Amino acid sequence: MKKHILSLSLALLFTLTAVAQFNKNIVVAHRGAWKTNGLPENSIASLNKAIEEGCHGAEFDVHLTKDDILVVNHDHDFYGLDIEKSTYAELLTKKHPNGESIPTLEAYLAAGMKQKKTKLILEIKTSRISPERALEVTSAAVAMVQKLKATKWVEYICFSYEVGKRIHELDKKAKIQYLEGNKPPAELKAAGYTGLDYHFSVYKEHPNWIAEAHKLGLTVNAWTVNDRAEMENLISQKVEYITTNEPELLFEVVKK
Ligand code: MG
């Protein structure tokens, strides 16, 4: 009996350890950790740097090519080629300055899943083609995350309210934060969002929203905060996350 209890406790301990592996800090590296390292934004190299620095999350942006390949890049164009109007093969004719090609979402997730410390903060870029295409990008991205069994790593963010609702329809357990800044916390909660991720100025316009969100069990993130004083201000309001181009500075502020 004693032996049985011991093995049960050990199993529980292993489970708890497995759950608690991701870094618990406030730092989300915006487009990876690129700035102080001279790396291309949204490259696998900037993802790996964010992981190496121990960030809670590495943020990145997802588009769908003309021939339905999911790729990772911030702008709607990749070195002059409009991503949505180009085939993946056409995009491969361009390279980042560090020699990387535009990462596919599949390659990016595979790289991120080699570790279990840093979350992958997946932004669905709103398609410029049509609202329907925006939902197609969303369905394709969620399907890719599920195919790779990456759900434990991935949290979603989006500017399109409809995109977030679609993610929730497709994965009821998904963590989804809304970026646009124009909805009060209660409305987000009702739509299936799990958090807000607003420009830091929005929390000044709506000084109650952080506390309201917390009461509803929503997480609060702010973008894109590169200034020490604003970091300190948000930390004093107990936000869960801050998205920044300066993860090294934010770590410094947190450790102070
Ligand atoms: Mg983004």
XYZ file of all heavy atoms in Angstrom, residues 30-31 42 59-62 73-74 121-125 157 159 179 224 243, ligand 1:
166
model
N 8.544 40.765 -29.002
C 7.748 41.161 -30.160
C 8.494 40.850 -31.456
O 9.548 41.422 -31.715
C 7.476 42.668 -30.035
C 6.589 43.227 -31.085
N 6.922 44.326 -31.835
C 5.346 42.857 -31.483
C 5.924 44.607 -32.662
N 4.963 43.731 -32.474
N 7.984 39.916 -32.240
C 8.631 39.423 -33.480
C 9.944 38.699 -33.168
O 10.871 38.705 -33.976
C 8.887 40.561 -34.472
C 7.651 41.427 -34.715
C 7.921 42.577 -35.661
N 6.876 43.577 -35.578
C 6.952 44.778 -36.131
N 8.010 45.123 -36.833
N 5.961 45.634 -36.009
N 10.961 38.131 -36.853
C 10.158 36.965 -37.237
C 10.969 35.836 -37.879
O 10.407 34.955 -38.521
C 9.021 37.364 -38.198
C 7.746 37.717 -37.456
O 7.388 37.042 -36.503
N 7.060 38.753 -37.875
N 6.611 36.336 -29.927
C 5.468 36.674 -30.774
C 5.875 36.621 -32.235
O 7.017 36.930 -32.583
C 4.983 38.080 -30.386
C 3.712 38.513 -31.067
C 3.906 39.368 -32.304
O 5.076 39.661 -32.684
O 2.894 39.728 -32.915
N 4.935 36.226 -33.104
C 5.207 36.192 -34.551
C 3.889 36.286 -35.315
O 2.824 36.084 -34.749
C 5.967 34.910 -34.933
C 5.228 33.634 -34.569
C 4.524 32.923 -35.532
C 5.223 33.161 -33.265
C 3.828 31.759 -35.196
C 4.522 32.002 -32.923
C 3.830 31.306 -33.894
N 3.997 36.598 -36.618
C 2.819 36.913 -37.429
C 2.668 35.919 -38.573
O 3.646 35.598 -39.244
C 2.988 38.316 -38.017
C 3.315 39.340 -36.944
O 2.388 39.819 -36.290
O 4.524 39.617 -36.738
N 1.430 35.487 -38.794
C 1.187 34.422 -39.775
C 0.300 34.901 -40.928
O -0.727 35.545 -40.715
C 0.536 33.213 -39.069
C 0.086 32.162 -40.079
C 1.515 32.603 -38.071
N 5.872 36.196 -41.104
C 6.522 37.475 -41.433
C 5.686 38.598 -40.838
O 4.484 38.437 -40.658
C 6.586 37.652 -42.960
C 7.532 38.764 -43.375
O 8.710 38.750 -43.017
N 7.044 39.746 -44.117
N 6.320 39.727 -40.530
C 5.494 40.809 -39.982
C 4.702 41.530 -41.061
O 3.482 41.554 -41.036
C 6.309 41.838 -39.183
C 5.402 42.907 -38.671
N 5.216 44.108 -39.319
C 4.546 42.901 -37.628
C 4.297 44.806 -38.681
N 3.880 44.105 -37.652
N 3.643 32.812 -29.439
C 2.489 33.722 -29.461
C 2.152 34.042 -30.916
O 2.801 34.878 -31.557
C 2.782 35.019 -28.663
C 3.421 34.704 -27.296
C 1.517 35.850 -28.522
C 2.570 33.892 -26.341
N 1.147 33.337 -31.418
C 0.838 33.294 -32.849
C -0.194 34.355 -33.219
O -1.356 34.240 -32.838
C 0.339 31.883 -33.176
C 0.161 31.446 -34.617
C -0.018 29.928 -34.685
C -0.902 32.151 -35.393
N 0.250 35.377 -33.943
C -0.712 36.389 -34.421
C -1.220 36.005 -35.801
O -0.438 35.769 -36.723
C -0.058 37.781 -34.492
C -1.043 38.809 -35.056
C -0.542 40.239 -35.094
O 0.480 40.558 -34.444
O -1.204 41.045 -35.780
N -2.542 35.956 -35.925
C -3.142 35.768 -37.251
C -3.242 37.155 -37.880
O -3.993 38.005 -37.418
C -4.569 35.176 -37.157
C -4.601 33.892 -36.329
C -5.168 35.011 -38.559
C -4.242 32.638 -37.041
N -2.472 37.384 -38.923
C -2.549 38.658 -39.635
C -3.872 38.703 -40.387
O -4.255 37.728 -41.045
C -1.404 38.755 -40.647
C -0.129 39.233 -40.021
C -0.254 40.641 -39.509
C 1.053 41.357 -39.504
N 1.064 42.593 -38.725
N -3.130 35.551 -30.906
C -3.522 36.959 -30.818
C -4.027 37.393 -32.195
O -3.617 36.838 -33.225
C -2.361 37.877 -30.352
C -1.116 37.706 -31.230
C -2.005 37.625 -28.894
C 0.017 38.667 -30.860
N -6.041 40.974 -34.436
C -6.707 42.282 -34.501
C -8.162 42.123 -34.939
O -8.985 42.982 -34.656
C -5.987 43.209 -35.491
C -4.806 43.914 -34.887
C -3.516 43.424 -35.052
C -4.977 45.081 -34.145
C -2.428 44.079 -34.495
C -3.894 45.742 -33.580
C -2.625 45.241 -33.756
N -6.309 42.185 -29.910
C -5.313 43.258 -30.033
C -5.875 44.650 -30.331
O -5.203 45.647 -30.082
C -4.340 42.914 -31.180
C -3.447 41.686 -31.002
C -2.842 41.282 -32.344
C -2.343 41.962 -29.995
N 3.222 48.034 -27.810
C 4.562 47.448 -27.788
C 5.353 48.410 -26.922
O 5.537 49.549 -27.313
C 5.145 47.351 -29.216
O 4.309 46.499 -29.997
C 6.575 46.821 -29.227
N 4.530 43.062 -24.107
C 5.149 42.728 -25.385
C 6.085 43.871 -25.775
O 5.681 45.033 -25.758
C 4.054 42.509 -26.451
O 3.203 41.449 -26.007
C 4.662 42.135 -27.791
Mg 2.449 40.931 -34.505
